Amino acid sequence: MFVPAIKGQGTEEQQKKWLPLAYKFQIIGCYAQTELGHGSNVQGLETTATFDPMTDEFVIHSPTLTSSKWWPGGLGKASTHAVVYARLITEGKDYGIHGFIVQLRSLEDHSPLPGVTLGDIGGKFGSGAYNSMDNGVLRFDHVRIPRDQMLMRLSQVTREGKYVQSDVPKQLLYGTMVYVRQSIVADASKALSRAVCIAVRYSAIRKQFGSQDGGPETQVLNYRTQQSRLFPLLASAYAFRFVGDWLNWLYTDVTQKLEVKDYSTLQEAHACTAGLKAVTTSATADAIEECRKLCGGHGYLNSSGLPELFAVYVPACTYEGDNVVLLLQVARILMKTVSQLTSGKQPVGTMAYMGKVQHLMQSKCAVKTAEDWLNPAFIQEAFEARALRMAVNCAQNIGQASNQEEGFYERSPDLLEAAVAHIQLIIVTKFIEKVHQDIPGHGVKEQLQNLCNVYALYTLHKHLGDFLATGSLTPKQGALANEQLGKLYAQVRPNAVALVDAFNYTDHYLGSVLGRYDGNVYPALYEEAWKDPLNETVVPEGYHEYLRPLLKQQLKLSRL
Ligand SMILES: CCCCCCCCCCCCCCCC(=O)SCCNC(=O)CCNC(=O)[C@H](O)C(C)(C)COP(=O)(O)OP(=O)(O)OC[C@H]1O[C@@H](n2cnc3c(N)ncnc32)[C@H](O)[C@@H]1OP(=O)(O)O
Ligand SMILES: Cc1cc2nc3c(=O)[nH]c(=O)nc-3n(C[C@H](O)[C@H](O)[C@H](O)COP(=O)(O)OP(=O)(O)OC[C@H]3O[C@@H](n4cnc5c(N)ncnc54)[C@H](O)[C@@H]3O)c2cc1C
């Protein structure tokens, strides 16, 4: 994040100076924004950067305990420099949060520079999964840096100490977070596909119950309940892959537009990166835990690869923006868009469907049979109607409050659900668009079509309350969707293992005895057990010291 921050907020000159050093590892940088007292609320950060015109320097200082930088990855032990986000103060006025390049450690002996206190913040969730990352704590005691180490693409301070805001939107200060959020969506698909690969392969070899006449037991992958829990996760792995590819296109397009000072899609990029990051990481964290449960007891072994994958993955719901905070950002933009509908301003991009407000507010879903749910037009319209009606309902309720802000906070739980509905519409839309493309490979398109329908109808089934409450569907149509879902599971079943083999993960990368490509699980589980250090001795340590005296004493007592 150190590099994208300098690219996005540094001048050409600053990029020329600092990026080559970072690329060649002559310096190691981190992104020091979050503090002990503030993470979500960036505008609440307390670290100060006060301009001293006497020396043409900024004085970086941590005025309170809560202003200590806290969490930045790589800060504790590795980094020599940081992009530090601090309140810029010049001529006695506080101009809010800006980025500054600050050296933290000597390039001679790596010791912290004068006025810099830093270290690691301690162990984190899980058996040490994220402990390979030195998330750090950092405090400044009036550390001086040259004025030209303020990142000056978005705004400058002159030699005399005058603050100058350039003509770019101040939100570009947040550009690094937008960049990482869009990469986190692709990362969600990778993590989810790993968990699903393990759970599908294991479910194909695991047999439990089912034989009456002494014949072979049943593969658990054949149980309807296993399929109804597992196949939507398989479909989600593909869905997040395709929406992640599209989001990367959107991000690249926005970045190119910024180069020519076209800021027209900045809001769309913010809404899509924030919303998709929130929805895909929440779904993926829950799915990895579900995959553990789908593997029964063996899923709880470290050798299954699932506990570690879960422990490393779950902070994704928090870092780069707490998911609720990000969804509320999406909700704000939805409310703004709804309020502009009456002005005749046509919504664009992923909000364009809201322009069909007349139609979508009264449309009646035309589904009559379970098969009708295989028609992408019916799916698309049902998701658009649900999302739009939820947003309009929120806007109407907010409109009844004494003031907008009050109304927004009162209705924030409903707004959260409206934001999720909007983001799920984007994911479904991009999946439908993907399977409409020419897709090479015999039968591949049909399989992706099945997975697209599984993702859409499972999401519809899981959120049926929204569809019924907004009148977007009738209970009968909801039941037909569920009926069709069962039929789709039967079509996915014969190809389930092929669809996870398609992720093409090596056994090494997967790191799971349950997800081995050859399915040879039991010998691998058994062999792995003997690697446990506890098995280095046959009689456990402590027997003579603790167990034996206890057993002897009990034996004596029993003979009395
Ligand atoms: C590096 C490669 C990795 C690849 C592989 C990935 C694997 C994964 C590894 C990751 C490893 C862990 C890496 C964790 C690294 C951290 O965690 S870094 C720290 C992350 N911290 C955050 O995300 C903080 C979240 N908070 C925020 O972003 C801001 O405080 C909030 C929530 C947007 C609020 O901002 P605010 O300035 O108070 O403004 P607000 O009034 O809400 O909005 C003002 C306007 O700006 C707009 N706006 C706000 N934000 C934006 C934005 N970003 N853009 C455009 N407009 C915006 C709003 O829409 C609003 O617009 P209008 O309504 O005025 O039109
Ligand atoms: C593994 C990991 C790595 C990280 N790496 C970095 C890094 O490299 N650099 C960096 O700067 N930071 C980093 N962070 C910090 C991370 O970005 C923050 O923790 C994250 O942004 C969440 O902010 P917070 O901790 O203040 O949560 P809080 O906002 O305090 O969240 C607590 C609760 O408050 C709720 N909440 C907060 N505001 C509102 C609101 N307005 N309305 C409704 N509910 C609200 C949240 O939804 C949540 O339920 C990292 C964190 C982790 C866990």
Side-chain angles (χ1 to χ4, degrees), residues 31 33-34 39-40 71-73 130 135 315 318-320 322 324-325 328:
Y31 184 87
Q33 176 177 293
T34 302
S40 290
W71 271 115
Y130 222 94
N135 300 92
T318 306
Y319 62 51
E320 219 51 75
D322 164 84
V324 164
V325 169
L328 289 173

Side-chain angles (χ1 to χ4, degrees), residues 144-169:
R144 289 178 171 271
I145 62 170
R147 177 168 55 90
D148 71 1
Q149 285 183 214
M150 168 190 170
L151 292 177
M152 293 213 195
R153 181 178 170 198
L154 315 182
S155 50
Q156 300 82 35
V157 168
T158 66
R159 174 63 192 84
E160 298 68 37
K162 280 261 167 290
Y163 180 82
V164 179
Q165 168 79 39
S166 53
D167 60 353
V168 297

Side-chain angles (χ1 to χ4, degrees), residues 1 4 31 33-34 39-43 130 170-171 174-175 177-181 183-184 187 266-267 270 318-322 325-326 329 332-333 336:
M1 293 186 69
Y31 184 87
Q33 176 177 293
T34 302
S40 290
N41 179 10
V42 175
Q43 291 309 319
Y130 222 94
K170 64 178 176 27
Q171 283 85 4
Y174 297 152
M177 296 185 277
V178 174
Y179 162 69
V180 178
R181 285 171 194 154
S183 44
I184 287 175
D187 191 59
L266 207 50
Q267 177 178 276
H270 174 41
T318 306
Y319 62 51
E320 219 51 75
D322 164 84
V325 169
L326 295 182
Q329 283 288 306
R332 276 190 185 286
I333 295 167
K336 200 161 69 169

Side-chain angles (χ1 to χ4, degrees), residues 4 16 69 167 215 221 296 312 342 377 417 437 472 500 560:
K16 280 201 188 82
K69 289 300 174 187
D167 60 353
L221 191 56
V312 169
T342 47
E417 291 176 0
Q437 292 171 9
S472 309
V500 297
L560 292 180

